[in-house]
Amino acid sequence: TRPTAEEVISGDQVKITVNKGKHIEDNQNRFESHATAVNSYKQVKESLIEILRLPTISSASHNVYAYRFAGSDGMVHEGSEDDGEHGAGRTLLSAMNDNGIQNALIVVSRWFGNKIGMRRFTHIVDAGLSAGKNINPS
């Protein structure tokens, strides 16, 4: 589940390595991506909090994310959040699956400029995969 504002503001800091992906601009919209290795729901939540704490990210209009990891039970666990970009989280999760990205959390932040229609999904996937493909799984 998405962390609360209180958790982002006042929670304990967790040391994680965050990979930054592509920066994309289109019609005054800006997309940035960040990814980190995860292998549990606890790591997903802690990592998401740390990424949302990055100085530039808090001002984003939307923070779409998706994660996939193989748990200690051998099952693949996955999830996503659209954050107001209807269908974007599922699209990013599908792209992670199609590209074999696992044991990762990817967050794509969008600063809204003008309407760009369906191109936003291409930018979200492109930016997200650029960060996710360089992860060293833990």
Side-chain angles (χ1 to χ4, degrees):
T1 64
R2 185 173 178 81
T4 65
E6 179 67 24
E7 289 172 312
V8 173
I9 293 168
S10 64
D12 293 332
Q13 187 172 10
V14 178
K15 294 261 185 193
I16 61 168
T17 300
V18 177
N19 294 336
K20 189 168 181 175
K22 284 183 182 178
H23 174 97
I24 298 170
E25 293 193 25
D26 181 354
N27 200 22
Q28 299 179 349
N29 290 271
R30 186 167 45 112
F31 298 84
E32 287 185 14
S33 60
H34 297 84
T36 189
V38 295
N39 60 23
S40 69
Y41 287 113
K42 181 179 179 187
Q43 279 189 338
V44 168
K45 188 164 188 174
E46 290 172 346
S47 298
L48 184 57
I49 288 170
E50 289 305 307
I51 290 171
L52 293 175
R53 285 180 177 163
L54 294 172
T56 59
I57 301 307
S58 62
S59 67
S61 306
H62 306 282
N63 287 298
V64 174
Y65 68 86
Y67 62 87
R68 299 183 78 235
F69 65 87
S72 58
D73 57 4
M75 301 277 298
V76 173
H77 303 271
E78 59 187 22
S80 64
E81 168 62 44
D82 295 338
D83 193 27
E85 287 280 3
H86 184 71
R90 289 187 306 274
T91 301
L92 181 57
L93 180 59
S94 178
M96 289 174 72
N97 191 27
D98 292 347
N99 286 273
I101 298 174
Q102 190 163 289
N103 298 330
L105 164 70
I106 299 175
V107 179
V108 179
S109 303
R110 177 188 182 191
W111 289 263
F112 184 78
N114 292 304
K115 291 185 177 184
I116 58 173
M118 299 302 286
R119 288 195 317 266
R120 72 186 185 274
F121 294 107
T122 301
H123 298 324
I124 288 167
V125 168
D126 190 26
L129 292 179
S130 72
K133 287 183 175 178
N134 296 318
I135 291 205
N136 296 321
S138 53

